[in-house]
Amino acid sequence: MKQIENVLICIMGLSMAWGEQLNVINPLVSKIFVIAGVLLFLILVIESLGAGKKRVLNPMNTWFWLTLSTILLVLFLRFDEISSIKESSEIIDKFKIPIFLIILWSLCSCFQSNSKLITLFLLSFLLSFIATAPFGVDVEYEFATRFAGTYANPNTYAVECVFAVYASLYLLSHGRFKYFYYIAILIAVYYLLRTGSRGAFSSLSIGVALLTMLHSTAKQKVAIFSVVGIMLLIVSSSSILASYGVLDRLFEKSYSGNIRLTIWASYLSNIDMFFWIGMKEENFQLINHFTPHNSFLGLWVRYGIFLLISYITFYILLFIKSIIIFFKKKSKYTDRVIIAMFFSLTQSGMTMENTPQRDTWVILALVFTIITSY
């Protein structure tokens, strides 16, 4: 069983970078991550039942089953939405958040029982990210030509680029293949800027700045400052970025703030349409042609108030504990990298809806693993 779990963790790491643009190869390519995650969940449940033990802390188990039950109840109450599914591939799209919740539980369980699996997952992801990046596509999105990588939405790929930078910083501490990780940072930052995502760019800047302030070890300083240097070098010298129009978009202030305030106001002024059990995505157009552009508001709109309360409770507890550990003098560098990634996720989630993205739930699993080790 352990070997099968390790293989599935590796497959999940590799397939995390495979977005819907790769479905030209096979319609299921972008679904491999969730398929492997569900298989891992089933194996862990069977193993736990057979062993008669709980692999994850009781509070996590309680929160997980309550939250999963809440989502399934909401979907049952919206039975007409489920009954409209015509193809098996649509099941994953309709049940995306419940599946990601299952993956969160599974990864927490595996990472807690064997922390080396974190390295396996991150290294697998990084190899796949670098291999697929050159095959990404440019899209016309919000008044600029933006790089969307293997996805349809450049904001989704931007979050993945941020994840790749932090994965590289984490793996740099292992002392081997350092030049490979520096190259990975260079590639990730370059494509992050190509996405034109201001939220992701600023979130990475804040996380790296916090890491820089808290670490005096020369080796760690070099790694962190290299990220800053690469970002400045690309921004200052790249005529390619200017030709795509993403530099103007990255540093133009008024557009982002105004349009997001308008989006949030439009959803909140129609709160009666989704307050209790949310609404299906096809009906978002009745309120605004943009999605909510905020992770917490997005969950509320999609699944209703009870799931929002459950998620916020879990998130706040993680955030408070993360702050305590991050600023502890004796905290490990690798733990701070994971927590800085979580801080970046939180900041970007204020202006982007990242809960439908797999990266979000992987980061939550990593952070939960870290804070339960203290």
Side-chain angles (χ1 to χ4, degrees):
M1 282 291 193
K2 293 291 184 184
Q3 290 181 339
I4 296 175
E5 290 173 19
N6 293 350
V7 169
L8 288 173
I9 288 288
C10 184
I11 291 173
M12 290 177 71
L14 289 170
S15 59
M16 185 171 156
W18 301 347
E20 56 268 22
Q21 297 286 0
L22 295 181
N23 285 347
V24 295
I25 301 171
N26 185 289
L28 288 177
V29 168
S30 65
K31 307 288 195 297
I32 291 176
F33 176 84
V34 296
I35 292 171
V38 171
L39 287 174
L40 180 63
F41 172 74
L42 294 174
I43 289 173
L44 292 175
V45 169
I46 293 171
E47 190 178 278
S48 297
L49 292 174
K53 63 178 181 178
K54 295 181 179 180
R55 296 183 51 144
V56 185
L57 296 179
N58 286 333
M60 178 62 173
N61 276 326
T62 303
W63 176 84
F64 166 74
W65 291 112
L66 284 174
T67 306
L68 183 62
S69 301
T70 301
I71 299 176
L72 295 177
L73 177 60
V74 166
L75 291 174
F76 175 78
L77 294 173
R78 286 158 45 181
F79 182 75
D80 59 320
E81 182 179 350
I82 306 304
S83 62
S84 66
I85 296 176
K86 297 179 180 179
E87 298 180 10
S88 57
S89 60
E90 293 180 33
I91 296 175
I92 293 177
D93 293 327
K94 294 292 184 183
F95 288 88
K96 182 178 287 186
I97 299 299
I99 291 173
F100 284 159
L101 187 63
I102 283 171
I103 289 173
L104 166 66
W105 185 89
S106 303
L107 290 177
C108 284
S109 179
C110 289
F111 292 161
Q112 281 186 321
S113 62
N114 184 3
S115 61
K116 291 182 180 179
L117 291 178
I118 296 177
T119 301
L120 174 64
F121 183 93
L122 294 179
L123 182 57
S124 300
F125 161 76
L126 207 55
L127 290 169
S128 184
F129 174 83
I130 293 173
T132 57
F135 301 100
V137 297
D138 291 304
V139 296
E140 293 296 325
Y141 198 91
E142 294 181 6
F143 316 116
T145 302
R146 302 172 60 186
F147 190 72
T150 61
Y151 296 89
N153 189 328
N155 290 328
T156 303
Y157 192 69
V159 173
E160 196 151 277
C161 290
V162 172
F163 187 91
V165 171
Y166 281 115
S168 301
L169 286 173
Y170 183 96
L171 294 168
L172 268 168
S173 67
H174 289 68
R176 300 177 63 189
F177 312 115
K178 287 189 176 182
Y179 289 110
F180 169 75
Y181 300 132
Y182 283 121
I183 291 171
I185 291 171
L186 176 63
I187 293 171
V189 172
Y190 172 71
Y191 282 116
L192 169 61
L193 295 171
R194 282 275 305 276
T195 65
S197 174
R198 288 161 292 203
F201 179 76
S202 61
S203 70
L204 176 62
S205 303
I206 292 170
V208 170
L210 287 171
L211 280 173
T212 305
M213 288 188 298
L214 287 173
H215 281 280
S216 56
T217 305
K219 192 186 301 183
Q220 296 164 352
K221 283 280 190 184
V222 169
I224 297 167
F225 274 120
S226 68
V227 178
V228 179
I230 289 168
M231 291 169 71
L232 293 175
L233 177 65
I234 294 176
V235 170
S236 62
S237 64
S238 180
S239 58
I240 298 175
L241 290 175
S243 68
Y244 283 106
V246 293
L247 287 183
D248 290 336
R249 188 180 189 282
L250 278 171
F251 299 108
E252 192 274 321
K253 297 179 181 178
S254 61
Y255 172 76
S256 177
N258 291 341
I259 196 167
R260 278 166 172 74
L261 289 175
T262 303
I263 292 170
W264 299 336
S266 65
Y267 279 99
L268 292 174
S269 62
N270 289 279
I271 199 172
D272 57 303
M273 297 178 66
F274 58 81
F275 185 89
W276 293 109
I277 60 171
M279 62 191 298
K280 54 185 178 181
E281 191 169 349
E282 292 83 351
N283 290 339
F284 286 10
Q285 298 288 335
L286 300 174
I287 298 177
N288 196 296
H289 66 281
F290 284 111
T291 57
H293 273 67
N294 177 280
S295 290
F296 302 103
L297 178 59
L299 266 186
W300 192 3
V301 173
R302 292 175 187 275
Y303 292 99
I305 188 66
F306 297 112
L307 181 61
L308 175 66
I309 293 171
S310 178
Y311 183 75
I312 285 180
T313 302
F314 178 68
Y315 206 98
I316 289 175
L317 292 174
L318 279 186
F319 194 80
I320 292 172
K321 184 68 174 177
S322 296
I323 291 175
I324 294 171
I325 294 172
F326 190 82
F327 290 101
K328 258 187 177 181
K329 289 184 178 180
K330 294 183 179 180
S331 294
K332 294 189 294 185
Y333 164 74
T334 49
D335 293 347
R336 281 187 172 138
V337 169
I338 296 297
I339 293 173
M341 188 193 305
F342 177 53
F343 291 161
S344 291
L345 173 74
T346 304
Q347 194 275 329
S348 65
M350 296 298 106
T351 56
M352 298 165 58
E353 190 186 356
N354 52 29
T355 46
Q357 300 174 26
R358 58 190 78 168
D359 307 71
T360 298
W361 301 91
V362 172
I363 293 170
L364 291 177
L366 289 169
V367 173
F368 184 83
T369 303
I370 295 302
I371 67 172
T372 52
S373 66
Y374 282 82

